[in-house]
Amino acid sequence: MKAKPLPHPGRWITAAVLLVLFLWFIIGAARNEAYHWDVYFQYLFDTRIAAAAGWTIALTVLAMLIGVVGGAIVAVLRMSENPVLSTVAWFYLWIFRGTPVYVQLVFWGLLGTIYSTIDLGVTEVDLSTILSNTFVLAFVGLGLNESAYMAEIVRAGIQAVPEGQTEASKALGMSCWQT
């Protein structure tokens, strides 16, 4: 017995209607003078846009590096049996996941005006050159924010490992960190 799939003409009609509407929008947008396509292409191929895209990619990569490494560390600290480490990690997650990233970036941007020098009693450390670099502050701020979210992802992944796997690693003589 050979099964035949049921015909679904409604799917084809819907797809055709959506395709026509999409083409209608594209053609209308291409012919519409209000879009000012000449200005759009002038800015699209401007060197400043390419430079900004390069800075954005660099900022993203650096923030992700901080986020992945920091997230793994914070996840392990959060699951630690040491109550001090676990509490510090919980507080970190509470702060960085509980405040909007824009508020955090404003704080990092103002950090240079709040702490231009640190008085160690014997000498003062000048932080104005480091804390005035907005690129460094941006990728540190974004990286720390991302590490809070990454920590929860890593922690959930570790806790999803079945208990039998954890017991097997302990039976092989592995420490908590090795497990």
Side-chain angles (χ1 to χ4, degrees), residues 163-175 179:
E163 185 66 29
Q165 297 291 324
T166 307
E167 291 172 0
S169 68
K170 289 180 182 177
L172 290 172
M174 293 183 178
S175 69
T179 300

Side-chain angles (χ1 to χ4, degrees), residues 14-179:
T14 304
V17 168
L18 289 175
L19 181 64
V20 167
L21 288 174
F22 179 71
L23 290 174
W24 181 38
F25 172 76
I26 294 296
I27 292 169
R31 292 181 179 171
N32 193 340
E33 292 296 323
Y35 280 102
H36 298 285
W37 290 111
D38 54 335
V39 176
Y40 172 78
F41 287 114
Q42 176 185 353
Y43 281 112
L44 181 65
F45 298 116
D46 192 352
T47 57
R48 294 175 293 179
I49 300 297
W55 284 107
T56 302
I57 291 169
L59 187 67
T60 302
V61 168
L62 291 171
M64 286 181 72
L65 286 173
I66 291 175
V68 170
V69 172
I73 292 169
V74 172
V76 171
L77 293 177
R78 180 73 177 101
M79 295 184 331
S80 173
E81 294 177 9
N82 184 337
V84 174
L85 294 178
S86 181
T87 303
V88 167
W90 177 86
F91 187 73
Y92 175 83
L93 294 173
W94 181 69
I95 292 292
F96 280 94
R97 290 183 65 218
T99 56
V101 69
Y102 187 72
V103 172
Q104 294 173 30
L105 289 176
V106 168
F107 169 76
W108 287 104
L110 293 175
L111 199 62
T113 57
I114 297 170
Y115 297 107
S116 59
T117 59
I118 294 179
D119 187 11
L120 298 176
V122 179
T123 183
E124 284 190 0
V125 178
D126 184 23
L127 299 174
S128 61
T129 56
I130 297 170
L131 296 180
S132 65
N133 189 339
T134 55
F135 182 78
V136 170
L137 294 174
F139 84 75
V140 167
L142 289 171
L144 291 176
N145 180 271
E146 185 177 340
S147 70
Y149 287 96
M150 184 60 69
E152 292 297 296
I153 294 168
V154 170
R155 185 174 66 91
I158 292 172
Q159 289 179 340
V161 174
E163 185 66 29
Q165 297 291 324
T166 307
E167 291 172 0
S169 68
K170 289 180 182 177
L172 290 172
M174 293 183 178
S175 69
C176 180
W177 289 99
Q178 289 173 326
T179 300

